[in-house]
Amino acid sequence: MPLVDTHVHLNFEVFAADLDRLAQAWRELEVVTLIHACVVPEEFSAMQAIADRFPEVFLAVGLHPLDGDRWTEATGVQIRDLAMADGRVVAIGETGLDFYKADNGELQRQAFWTQLSIAHDLDLPVIVHCRNAARETADLIRTFQRQIGPLRGVMHCWAGTPEETHWFLDLGFYISFSGIVTFKNADQVKASAKLVPDDRLLIETDCPFLSPEPHRRQRPNQPALLHHVATYLAELRQVSLIQLGAITTQNAWNLFRLPGSVPTSDPLLSLTGLG
């Protein structure tokens, strides 16, 4: 059953000596495509090296809001140039707003707006990080769409309330769920996961963070554990795992405009319920 991990950070030091083993594990569990998010543009060359080794890895480029203090006009130019220079770039990000750990709101908004502009100009989706800033994030995206034009993207590692989820669905965004949805007390995340329409649902690991149950204590998280996120969501939404995989894989192809045809489950495995 092919799956797409729509948010990974494989360039982190914790994976440096182990990527070949991790790739074997994700391939055995049919994680057929991975979207490598970017924290700071300076790490992009390391991300490219990983994509050179593993052709199923596609790239995003951007500046994380918690690194907003590093933002300058030159940063925006750098992100645009990198996005245009490598055909494996399928998104801008991760970007967004985070008021949980930082109070540089104005600088974050400036960086976010510029990255939305780059995504709009290059016709790329945007990968949005949002923590303790749902209303501000929705308002900024809404203003951008009204003043500048259409924008597509995904709310990554979503942990918002059902009400907040509707705000971003109304803006045309996809919603991606990570291992958080499997956590025992994540009631609002589970409620949000139930209401997202089939055609807006995505899954991710956000590895090396947020290992899903039943491996929550495992550090680091890894793409092979995406299967647990998919299994939990399928049960929560009362669909088969094969259906959940087909839905989220198709959605990843649609949002990121991935090359080639959408991979499908082996029909023999599907008939036995093992796909």
Side-chain angles (χ1 to χ4, degrees):
M1 180 193 62
L3 297 173
V4 177
D5 191 341
T6 61
H7 201 103
V8 301
H9 297 280
L10 297 175
N11 64 302
F12 283 21
E13 183 64 27
V14 68
F15 292 137
D18 219 16
L19 278 178
D20 288 326
R21 183 187 64 81
L22 293 179
Q24 180 180 354
W26 80 56
R27 287 169 175 171
E28 288 176 352
L29 288 171
E30 290 192 273
V31 179
V32 296
T33 301
L34 305 90
I35 309 300
H36 199 308
C38 183
V39 176
V40 293
E42 290 75 16
E43 69 181 355
F44 190 71
S45 60
M47 294 164 50
Q48 287 176 306
I50 291 171
D52 289 343
R53 289 173 62 184
F54 309 107
E56 62 267 46
V57 174
F58 290 83
L59 306 173
V61 59
L63 182 77
H64 193 287
L66 290 180
D67 289 282
D69 287 339
R70 303 173 63 163
W71 180 261
T72 66
E73 184 176 338
T75 310
V77 173
Q78 183 183 20
I79 290 170
R80 183 185 295 269
D81 288 347
L82 290 172
M84 295 175 65
D86 193 319
R88 295 170 297 186
V89 172
V90 295
I92 299 299
E94 63 187 282
T95 179
L97 300 176
D98 189 322
F99 299 153
Y100 178 74
K101 293 184 176 180
D103 57 6
N104 55 346
E106 189 52 43
L107 198 54
Q108 286 191 39
R109 290 183 186 92
Q110 179 184 344
F112 188 25
W113 184 276
T114 301
Q115 290 175 86
L116 294 182
S117 299
I118 295 169
H120 174 266
D121 292 347
L122 300 182
D123 193 21
L124 291 171
V126 62
I127 297 172
V128 179
H129 171 106
C130 175
R131 189 171 188 189
N132 282 28
R135 186 173 297 278
E136 295 90 343
T137 302
D139 287 346
L140 192 149
I141 294 172
R142 189 177 299 109
T143 299
F144 185 95
Q145 290 180 332
R146 184 174 64 250
Q147 294 182 0
I148 307 300
L151 192 69
R152 56 198 172 92
V154 55
M155 304 305 297
H156 114 83
C157 196
W158 185 241
T161 67
E163 180 184 13
E164 293 165 347
T165 302
H166 280 297
W167 298 345
F168 294 100
L169 290 172
D170 290 346
L171 291 168
F173 272 56
Y174 289 72
I175 310 293
S176 181
F177 293 95
S178 68
I180 293 175
V181 75
T182 72
F183 296 174
K184 180 179 179 180
N185 296 322
D187 294 336
Q188 74 176 20
V189 184
K190 300 179 200 296
S192 295
K194 289 180 181 179
L195 67 83
V196 174
D198 282 352
D199 63 354
R200 301 285 193 83
L201 184 68
L202 292 170
I203 54 176
E204 64 176 86
T205 58
D206 197 18
C207 67
F209 312 109
L210 302 171
S211 298
E213 296 288 5
H215 299 282
R216 189 173 178 183
R217 294 186 180 183
Q218 177 177 325
R219 300 289 187 275
N221 192 9
Q222 60 168 304
L225 297 184
L226 184 66
H227 184 82
H228 294 287
V229 178
T231 299
Y232 190 90
L233 274 175
E235 294 174 356
L236 189 68
R237 293 168 65 90
Q238 297 185 321
V239 298
S240 72
L241 181 56
I242 292 171
Q243 288 175 297
L244 193 285
I247 288 166
T248 56
T249 298
Q250 179 68 64
N251 290 344
W253 245 255
N254 291 346
L255 175 62
F256 296 108
R257 296 178 182 170
L258 298 169
S261 58
V262 180
T264 57
S265 297
D266 186 314
L268 294 177
L269 291 177
S270 299
L271 287 173
T272 62
L274 298 174

